[in-house]
Amino acid sequence: MKLNETAMAKAFGVLGASYYLACYFVAFFVPGIYKTVAATWFHMLDLSSAWKDTPGGLVLGLISFTLASWISGRLLALAYNKFVK
């Protein structure tokens, strides 16, 4: 079964945008939880000098992360279809 590359790319784009927005709002409204989770994902690396009081760049971050997700979905579907042959 082949995958539709465009549909997969769109699905990844929507998923990426959803993740980005969820992460942004968690960082904005409950930064303590956000910082705790981020620290565990980076193996407890001390990121205290990198934190901002409020997250900025919502639009640029949302667009760039959605685009990166879309490209990832497209490439995954292309690779999958190549190996299915």
Side-chain angles (χ1 to χ4, degrees):
M1 175 179 89
K2 290 187 116 182
L3 294 174
N4 180 320
E5 291 96 355
T6 302
M8 178 70 90
K10 288 178 183 177
F12 267 58
V14 168
L15 184 63
S18 300
Y19 281 154
Y20 184 86
L21 288 172
C23 191
Y24 182 89
F25 286 115
V26 168
F28 189 81
F29 291 111
V30 280
I33 293 173
Y34 176 79
K35 290 175 184 179
T36 299
V37 171
T40 63
W41 286 4
F42 287 99
H43 307 288
M44 303 311 286
L45 180 68
D46 181 14
L47 299 171
S48 59
S49 64
W51 297 120
K52 294 182 180 181
D53 288 337
T54 57
L58 171 66
V59 175
L60 178 58
L62 179 62
I63 291 170
S64 62
F65 195 78
T66 301
L67 179 61
S69 299
W70 189 94
I71 291 168
S72 297
R74 182 81 181 199
L75 292 174
L76 176 66
L78 286 168
Y80 176 86
N81 288 339
K82 189 108 172 142
F83 289 118
V84 165
K85 290 182 180 178

